[in-house]
Structures are given as structure tokens and as C-alpha cells.
Amino acid sequence: MLSPDRVPDLAPLTHAAADYDIVRRAIAFISEHWRAQPEIDAIAEAAGVTPTELHHLFRRWAGLTPKAFLQAITLDHARALLRDSASVLDASFEVGLSGPGRLHDLFVTHEAMSPGEWKSGGAKLTIHYGFHASPFGTALIMATERGLAGLAFADGGEESKALADMRRRWPAATYVENVERTTVLTRRIFDPELWRADRPLRVVLIGTDWEVRVWDALLKVPMGRVTTYSDIAAKVCTPAAARAVGAAVGKNPIAFVVPCHRVIGKRGDLTGYHWGLTRKCAMLGWEAGRVGAA
């Protein structure tokens, strides 16, 4: 059992999850109508709240006004980020976690499972899991003795689907529901006040050698920046491998922490996301607010 002084306060995450339920409705409307730059009244009506409520909610959830959030997820903004990110990303790949932008970032230290452990489908591996509130809806947190191994998301009623999806990745592993254990990880992941370079989050990557190389490259993309599949390919192999990179990005088992949501199309389009394009927009907008607020 956790001692009383170690029990994390999850109330902020519970409130953030409730906010996200409204935010995702707003994002869906914004994503569909962004070219028309809809007014806050129209966005609020689509989200089912008043304009004032929506304004306060976005400020609380992301540190941005609805208008600023709208600007942060437009195609023009994404293209500007791509142009601005090139030299920053080069520096980040050279110097790793001490690179530009890391002031705002979740710090991660990682290792990979051996090829044999991956090929066995997780045999002899025990994975503890639990469902928790997060700023992006319900989060499925999965951990081994060596660290965080999986993070997936689910909208209401889709929890069993998310768990089944993750279990298919390591079918021979033993799964144990252990909410007490995963609660500590949840706050460590989603509470920016706990993002400290001297106490990095331990992550274990379970995949092929190629997938692990791609996921390692993703960890070097700073918060508030984006990159493309071809740029990641150039870092790990050759630009011609962009399609293979896309496949590895799509198989990333640790959403948000291994930031595959920061990979977009070379023209600035957001492209797909395993846990939903609305959630990808939410993550990019939320991070824009965190970077701007710091």
C-alpha cells in the first residue's frame, strides 16, 4: 500500500478529464470548420456550454483561450512550426534531452526489451495495468518491473477495446489489474509540476529493433515542436524509409510519452493517429499552451 504521504492527488486530473469531454466536442467542431475561423459563440454551442464557460474551461485545461487554441491547430500554424522546427530538431538530435525546448518537457529515460523477449510475445512478462483520468480522456497505463510499457486512450465505454488492442501487442504476457501501482505513474506522466530532469520517467520499449529506433527518435522531438515522417526517417536511416517510419509510429505503444502525436505530414496536415485525430489535436493544443505558459 502507498503511505499517506505518497498518495498522489489525482483531483486535478479528474477535473481535466471532465474538461476534456467538452474540449473534444469543441475540437471536433473546430477541426471541421477551422477554415471559416468560427466565433466562440458557435464553438461553445457545439460543445454544449456558454461562451464564458468555454473560455474559462480552455484557460483551465490548456492555458489558452479558445481563439488561441483554434490558431494552434490550424494548417498554417503547423506549417510554420515545421519551418521553425528544422534547426531546433537538428540540435535536439545532437544533444538529446538538454536540447532547446526541454524546459517544458516530460523527461524520460528508456531501455528496450531484448529481441528474444519481444519475439516471445511477452512470455514470462507481467504487465500491471489500470485505467485513469487524464487531460485527454481515460488513459490505460501499463507497467512492468522495469518501467512504463504502455499508454493508450479510450473514450467513454471503450475501455475494454483499448485493453484488448494493447494485449494483442504482447499476447503471451500475464496481465494484472493494479490501479494502485499505475496511479503513481499517471500523475507522474500528466502533471507538469512533476516533470523534472533529475527524476526522469522510466520507460521500457517493447518492439522490433527498427520500431525501437523510431520510438527513440520520437523522444527527441521537443514539446511545442513537430516533425515529419521523412525527417524521422532521415535521422534513423534514409528519407526513403518514410513509409516504414509511418508504420512504426503507428505501432507506438506509449502514447503521449513517446510523442508520436508530434509527427505530421510534410505539408503540415495532421494525418492520422491511432487514438483519434481529435485527441491528437488536443495534445498539440495542450502542449502549445504549456510551452506558452512556461
mmCIF file with all atom_site columns, all heavy atoms in Angstrom, residues 109-126:
data_model
loop_
_atom_site.group_PDB
_atom_site.id
_atom_site.type_symbol
_atom_site.label_atom_id
_atom_site.label_alt_id
_atom_site.label_comp_id
_atom_site.label_asym_id
_atom_site.label_entity_id
_atom_site.label_seq_id
_atom_site.pdbx_PDB_ins_code
_atom_site.Cartn_x
_atom_site.Cartn_y
_atom_site.Cartn_z
_atom_site.occupancy
_atom_site.B_iso_or_equiv
_atom_site.pdbx_formal_charge
_atom_site.auth_seq_id
_atom_site.auth_comp_id
_atom_site.auth_asym_id
_atom_site.auth_atom_id
_atom_site.pdbx_PDB_model_num
ATOM 1   N N   . THR A 1 109 ? 13.784 8.423   -19.354 1.00 0.00 ? 109 THR A N   1
ATOM 2   C CA  . THR A 1 109 ? 14.927 7.548   -19.574 1.00 0.00 ? 109 THR A CA  1
ATOM 3   C C   . THR A 1 109 ? 14.370 6.197   -20.005 1.00 0.00 ? 109 THR A C   1
ATOM 4   O O   . THR A 1 109 ? 13.362 5.730   -19.467 1.00 0.00 ? 109 THR A O   1
ATOM 5   C CB  . THR A 1 109 ? 15.788 7.410   -18.305 1.00 0.00 ? 109 THR A CB  1
ATOM 6   O OG1 . THR A 1 109 ? 16.901 6.550   -18.581 1.00 0.00 ? 109 THR A OG1 1
ATOM 7   C CG2 . THR A 1 109 ? 15.005 6.814   -17.144 1.00 0.00 ? 109 THR A CG2 1
ATOM 8   N N   . HIS A 1 110 ? 14.981 5.579   -21.003 1.00 0.00 ? 110 HIS A N   1
ATOM 9   C CA  . HIS A 1 110 ? 14.356 4.382   -21.555 1.00 0.00 ? 110 HIS A CA  1
ATOM 10  C C   . HIS A 1 110 ? 15.365 3.290   -21.862 1.00 0.00 ? 110 HIS A C   1
ATOM 11  O O   . HIS A 1 110 ? 16.558 3.536   -22.001 1.00 0.00 ? 110 HIS A O   1
ATOM 12  C CB  . HIS A 1 110 ? 13.585 4.731   -22.828 1.00 0.00 ? 110 HIS A CB  1
ATOM 13  C CG  . HIS A 1 110 ? 14.465 5.156   -23.970 1.00 0.00 ? 110 HIS A CG  1
ATOM 14  N ND1 . HIS A 1 110 ? 15.044 6.397   -24.042 1.00 0.00 ? 110 HIS A ND1 1
ATOM 15  C CD2 . HIS A 1 110 ? 14.880 4.504   -25.077 1.00 0.00 ? 110 HIS A CD2 1
ATOM 16  C CE1 . HIS A 1 110 ? 15.752 6.506   -25.138 1.00 0.00 ? 110 HIS A CE1 1
ATOM 17  N NE2 . HIS A 1 110 ? 15.684 5.365   -25.787 1.00 0.00 ? 110 HIS A NE2 1
ATOM 18  N N   . GLU A 1 111 ? 14.828 2.084   -21.928 1.00 0.00 ? 111 GLU A N   1
ATOM 19  C CA  . GLU A 1 111 ? 15.585 0.927   -22.350 1.00 0.00 ? 111 GLU A CA  1
ATOM 20  C C   . GLU A 1 111 ? 14.667 0.064   -23.209 1.00 0.00 ? 111 GLU A C   1
ATOM 21  O O   . GLU A 1 111 ? 13.443 0.257   -23.221 1.00 0.00 ? 111 GLU A O   1
ATOM 22  C CB  . GLU A 1 111 ? 16.070 0.120   -21.141 1.00 0.00 ? 111 GLU A CB  1
ATOM 23  C CG  . GLU A 1 111 ? 14.941 -0.436  -20.279 1.00 0.00 ? 111 GLU A CG  1
ATOM 24  C CD  . GLU A 1 111 ? 15.454 -1.319  -19.150 1.00 0.00 ? 111 GLU A CD  1
ATOM 25  O OE1 . GLU A 1 111 ? 16.036 -2.373  -19.470 1.00 0.00 ? 111 GLU A OE1 1
ATOM 26  O OE2 . GLU A 1 111 ? 15.272 -0.953  -17.978 1.00 0.00 ? 111 GLU A OE2 1
ATOM 27  N N   . ALA A 1 112 ? 15.254 -0.864  -23.932 1.00 0.00 ? 112 ALA A N   1
ATOM 28  C CA  . ALA A 1 112 ? 14.469 -1.738  -24.795 1.00 0.00 ? 112 ALA A CA  1
ATOM 29  C C   . ALA A 1 112 ? 14.494 -3.161  -24.267 1.00 0.00 ? 112 ALA A C   1
ATOM 30  O O   . ALA A 1 112 ? 15.499 -3.613  -23.702 1.00 0.00 ? 112 ALA A O   1
ATOM 31  C CB  . ALA A 1 112 ? 15.016 -1.706  -26.221 1.00 0.00 ? 112 ALA A CB  1
ATOM 32  N N   . MET A 1 113 ? 13.371 -3.845  -24.433 1.00 0.00 ? 113 MET A N   1
ATOM 33  C CA  . MET A 1 113 ? 13.353 -5.275  -24.159 1.00 0.00 ? 113 MET A CA  1
ATOM 34  C C   . MET A 1 113 ? 14.283 -5.978  -25.145 1.00 0.00 ? 113 MET A C   1
ATOM 35  O O   . MET A 1 113 ? 14.510 -5.491  -26.257 1.00 0.00 ? 113 MET A O   1
ATOM 36  C CB  . MET A 1 113 ? 11.938 -5.836  -24.324 1.00 0.00 ? 113 MET A CB  1
ATOM 37  C CG  . MET A 1 113 ? 10.990 -5.488  -23.194 1.00 0.00 ? 113 MET A CG  1
ATOM 38  S SD  . MET A 1 113 ? 11.368 -6.448  -21.724 1.00 0.00 ? 113 MET A SD  1
ATOM 39  C CE  . MET A 1 113 ? 10.029 -5.949  -20.643 1.00 0.00 ? 113 MET A CE  1
ATOM 40  N N   . SER A 1 114 ? 14.815 -7.119  -24.773 1.00 0.00 ? 114 SER A N   1
ATOM 41  C CA  . SER A 1 114 ? 15.679 -7.863  -25.679 1.00 0.00 ? 114 SER A CA  1
ATOM 42  C C   . SER A 1 114 ? 14.855 -8.389  -26.852 1.00 0.00 ? 114 SER A C   1
ATOM 43  O O   . SER A 1 114 ? 13.632 -8.567  -26.741 1.00 0.00 ? 114 SER A O   1
ATOM 44  C CB  . SER A 1 114 ? 16.323 -9.041  -24.948 1.00 0.00 ? 114 SER A CB  1
ATOM 45  O OG  . SER A 1 114 ? 15.346 -10.035 -24.662 1.00 0.00 ? 114 SER A OG  1
ATOM 46  N N   . PRO A 1 115 ? 15.497 -8.622  -28.013 1.00 0.00 ? 115 PRO A N   1
ATOM 47  C CA  . PRO A 1 115 ? 14.764 -9.182  -29.162 1.00 0.00 ? 115 PRO A CA  1
ATOM 48  C C   . PRO A 1 115 ? 14.032 -10.471 -28.811 1.00 0.00 ? 115 PRO A C   1
ATOM 49  O O   . PRO A 1 115 ? 12.920 -10.715 -29.285 1.00 0.00 ? 115 PRO A O   1
ATOM 50  C CB  . PRO A 1 115 ? 15.872 -9.419  -30.194 1.00 0.00 ? 115 PRO A CB  1
ATOM 51  C CG  . PRO A 1 115 ? 16.921 -8.409  -29.849 1.00 0.00 ? 115 PRO A CG  1
ATOM 52  C CD  . PRO A 1 115 ? 16.900 -8.321  -28.344 1.00 0.00 ? 115 PRO A CD  1
ATOM 53  N N   . GLY A 1 116 ? 14.656 -11.266 -27.958 1.00 0.00 ? 116 GLY A N   1
ATOM 54  C CA  . GLY A 1 116 ? 14.014 -12.523 -27.573 1.00 0.00 ? 116 GLY A CA  1
ATOM 55  C C   . GLY A 1 116 ? 12.744 -12.301 -26.792 1.00 0.00 ? 116 GLY A C   1
ATOM 56  O O   . GLY A 1 116 ? 11.741 -13.004 -26.996 1.00 0.00 ? 116 GLY A O   1
ATOM 57  N N   . GLU A 1 117 ? 12.748 -11.320 -25.901 1.00 0.00 ? 117 GLU A N   1
ATOM 58  C CA  . GLU A 1 117 ? 11.551 -11.012 -25.114 1.00 0.00 ? 117 GLU A CA  1
ATOM 59  C C   . GLU A 1 117 ? 10.434 -10.528 -26.013 1.00 0.00 ? 117 GLU A C   1
ATOM 60  O O   . GLU A 1 117 ? 9.266  -10.851 -25.807 1.00 0.00 ? 117 GLU A O   1
ATOM 61  C CB  . GLU A 1 117 ? 11.895 -9.963  -24.052 1.00 0.00 ? 117 GLU A CB  1
ATOM 62  C CG  . GLU A 1 117 ? 12.753 -10.482 -22.918 1.00 0.00 ? 117 GLU A CG  1
ATOM 63  C CD  . GLU A 1 117 ? 13.216 -9.390  -21.971 1.00 0.00 ? 117 GLU A CD  1
ATOM 64  O OE1 . GLU A 1 117 ? 13.752 -8.370  -22.458 1.00 0.00 ? 117 GLU A OE1 1
ATOM 65  O OE2 . GLU A 1 117 ? 13.040 -9.546  -20.753 1.00 0.00 ? 117 GLU A OE2 1
ATOM 66  N N   . TRP A 1 118 ? 10.793 -9.740  -27.015 1.00 0.00 ? 118 TRP A N   1
ATOM 67  C CA  . TRP A 1 118 ? 9.755  -9.248  -27.929 1.00 0.00 ? 118 TRP A CA  1
ATOM 68  C C   . TRP A 1 118 ? 9.221  -10.392 -28.780 1.00 0.00 ? 118 TRP A C   1
ATOM 69  O O   . TRP A 1 118 ? 8.008  -10.541 -28.951 1.00 0.00 ? 118 TRP A O   1
ATOM 70  C CB  . TRP A 1 118 ? 10.316 -8.141  -28.838 1.00 0.00 ? 118 TRP A CB  1
ATOM 71  C CG  . TRP A 1 118 ? 9.306  -7.729  -29.857 1.00 0.00 ? 118 TRP A CG  1
ATOM 72  C CD1 . TRP A 1 118 ? 8.242  -6.897  -29.662 1.00 0.00 ? 118 TRP A CD1 1
ATOM 73  C CD2 . TRP A 1 118 ? 9.216  -8.182  -31.196 1.00 0.00 ? 118 TRP A CD2 1
ATOM 74  N NE1 . TRP A 1 118 ? 7.504  -6.795  -30.820 1.00 0.00 ? 118 TRP A NE1 1
ATOM 75  C CE2 . TRP A 1 118 ? 8.081  -7.577  -31.781 1.00 0.00 ? 118 TRP A CE2 1
ATOM 76  C CE3 . TRP A 1 118 ? 9.990  -9.045  -31.983 1.00 0.00 ? 118 TRP A CE3 1
ATOM 77  C CZ2 . TRP A 1 118 ? 7.705  -7.799  -33.091 1.00 0.00 ? 118 TRP A CZ2 1
ATOM 78  C CZ3 . TRP A 1 118 ? 9.619  -9.270  -33.295 1.00 0.00 ? 118 TRP A CZ3 1
ATOM 79  C CH2 . TRP A 1 118 ? 8.485  -8.653  -33.829 1.00 0.00 ? 118 TRP A CH2 1
ATOM 80  N N   . LYS A 1 119 ? 10.111 -11.209 -29.338 1.00 0.00 ? 119 LYS A N   1
ATOM 81  C CA  . LYS A 1 119 ? 9.682  -12.294 -30.225 1.00 0.00 ? 119 LYS A CA  1
ATOM 82  C C   . LYS A 1 119 ? 8.802  -13.307 -29.505 1.00 0.00 ? 119 LYS A C   1
ATOM 83  O O   . LYS A 1 119 ? 7.965  -13.971 -30.131 1.00 0.00 ? 119 LYS A O   1
ATOM 84  C CB  . LYS A 1 119 ? 10.910 -12.987 -30.819 1.00 0.00 ? 119 LYS A CB  1
ATOM 85  C CG  . LYS A 1 119 ? 11.646 -12.135 -31.852 1.00 0.00 ? 119 LYS A CG  1
ATOM 86  C CD  . LYS A 1 119 ? 12.866 -12.860 -32.405 1.00 0.00 ? 119 LYS A CD  1
ATOM 87  C CE  . LYS A 1 119 ? 13.608 -11.990 -33.403 1.00 0.00 ? 119 LYS A CE  1
ATOM 88  N NZ  . LYS A 1 119 ? 14.829 -12.659 -33.925 1.00 0.00 ? 119 LYS A NZ  1
ATOM 89  N N   . SER A 1 120 ? 8.985  -13.430 -28.200 1.00 0.00 ? 120 SER A N   1
ATOM 90  C CA  . SER A 1 120 ? 8.184  -14.395 -27.437 1.00 0.00 ? 120 SER A CA  1
ATOM 91  C C   . SER A 1 120 ? 6.770  -13.888 -27.179 1.00 0.00 ? 120 SER A C   1
ATOM 92  O O   . SER A 1 120 ? 5.953  -14.591 -26.587 1.00 0.00 ? 120 SER A O   1
ATOM 93  C CB  . SER A 1 120 ? 8.862  -14.701 -26.103 1.00 0.00 ? 120 SER A CB  1
ATOM 94  O OG  . SER A 1 120 ? 8.770  -13.588 -25.221 1.00 0.00 ? 120 SER A OG  1
ATOM 95  N N   . GLY A 1 121 ? 6.484  -12.664 -27.617 1.00 0.00 ? 121 GLY A N   1
ATOM 96  C CA  . GLY A 1 121 ? 5.160  -12.098 -27.373 1.00 0.00 ? 121 GLY A CA  1
ATOM 97  C C   . GLY A 1 121 ? 4.938  -11.688 -25.932 1.00 0.00 ? 121 GLY A C   1
ATOM 98  O O   . GLY A 1 121 ? 3.795  -11.554 -25.488 1.00 0.00 ? 121 GLY A O   1
ATOM 99  N N   . GLY A 1 122 ? 6.026  -11.486 -25.206 1.00 0.00 ? 122 GLY A N   1
ATOM 100 C CA  . GLY A 1 122 ? 5.905  -11.074 -23.811 1.00 0.00 ? 122 GLY A CA  1
ATOM 101 C C   . GLY A 1 122 ? 5.807  -12.226 -22.839 1.00 0.00 ? 122 GLY A C   1
ATOM 102 O O   . GLY A 1 122 ? 5.422  -12.032 -21.685 1.00 0.00 ? 122 GLY A O   1
ATOM 103 N N   . ALA A 1 123 ? 6.163  -13.440 -23.277 1.00 0.00 ? 123 ALA A N   1
ATOM 104 C CA  . ALA A 1 123 ? 6.117  -14.599 -22.377 1.00 0.00 ? 123 ALA A CA  1
ATOM 105 C C   . ALA A 1 123 ? 6.993  -14.338 -21.158 1.00 0.00 ? 123 ALA A C   1
ATOM 106 O O   . ALA A 1 123 ? 8.063  -13.742 -21.255 1.00 0.00 ? 123 ALA A O   1
ATOM 107 C CB  . ALA A 1 123 ? 6.597  -15.851 -23.112 1.00 0.00 ? 123 ALA A CB  1
ATOM 108 N N   . LYS A 1 124 ? 6.524  -14.756 -19.996 1.00 0.00 ? 124 LYS A N   1
ATOM 109 C CA  . LYS A 1 124 ? 7.189  -14.559 -18.706 1.00 0.00 ? 124 LYS A CA  1
ATOM 110 C C   . LYS A 1 124 ? 7.215  -13.097 -18.274 1.00 0.00 ? 124 LYS A C   1
ATOM 111 O O   . LYS A 1 124 ? 7.870  -12.756 -17.283 1.00 0.00 ? 124 LYS A O   1
ATOM 112 C CB  . LYS A 1 124 ? 8.608  -15.125 -18.740 1.00 0.00 ? 124 LYS A CB  1
ATOM 113 C CG  . LYS A 1 124 ? 8.666  -16.624 -19.025 1.00 0.00 ? 124 LYS A CG  1
ATOM 114 C CD  . LYS A 1 124 ? 10.091 -17.139 -18.989 1.00 0.00 ? 124 LYS A CD  1
ATOM 115 C CE  . LYS A 1 124 ? 10.144 -18.630 -19.299 1.00 0.00 ? 124 LYS A CE  1
ATOM 116 N NZ  . LYS A 1 124 ? 11.539 -19.156 -19.270 1.00 0.00 ? 124 LYS A NZ  1
ATOM 117 N N   . LEU A 1 125 ? 6.494  -12.246 -18.990 1.00 0.00 ? 125 LEU A N   1
ATOM 118 C CA  . LEU A 1 125 ? 6.436  -10.831 -18.645 1.00 0.00 ? 125 LEU A CA  1
ATOM 119 C C   . LEU A 1 125 ? 5.112  -10.541 -17.946 1.00 0.00 ? 125 LEU A C   1
ATOM 120 O O   . LEU A 1 125 ? 4.046  -10.937 -18.420 1.00 0.00 ? 125 LEU A O   1
ATOM 121 C CB  . LEU A 1 125 ? 6.523  -9.985  -19.923 1.00 0.00 ? 125 LEU A CB  1
ATOM 122 C CG  . LEU A 1 125 ? 6.553  -8.464  -19.753 1.00 0.00 ? 125 LEU A CG  1
ATOM 123 C CD1 . LEU A 1 125 ? 7.845  -8.037  -19.078 1.00 0.00 ? 125 LEU A CD1 1
ATOM 124 C CD2 . LEU A 1 125 ? 6.431  -7.798  -21.124 1.00 0.00 ? 125 LEU A CD2 1
ATOM 125 N N   . THR A 1 126 ? 5.175  -9.869  -16.796 1.00 0.00 ? 126 THR A N   1
ATOM 126 C CA  . THR A 1 126 ? 3.968  -9.466  -16.085 1.00 0.00 ? 126 THR A CA  1
ATOM 127 C C   . THR A 1 126 ? 3.741  -7.979  -16.322 1.00 0.00 ? 126 THR A C   1
ATOM 128 O O   . THR A 1 126 ? 4.627  -7.162  -16.059 1.00 0.00 ? 126 THR A O   1
ATOM 129 C CB  . THR A 1 126 ? 4.074  -9.745  -14.581 1.00 0.00 ? 126 THR A CB  1
ATOM 130 O OG1 . THR A 1 126 ? 4.215  -11.156 -14.372 1.00 0.00 ? 126 THR A OG1 1
ATOM 131 C CG2 . THR A 1 126 ? 2.827  -9.245  -13.851 1.00 0.00 ? 126 THR A CG2 1
#
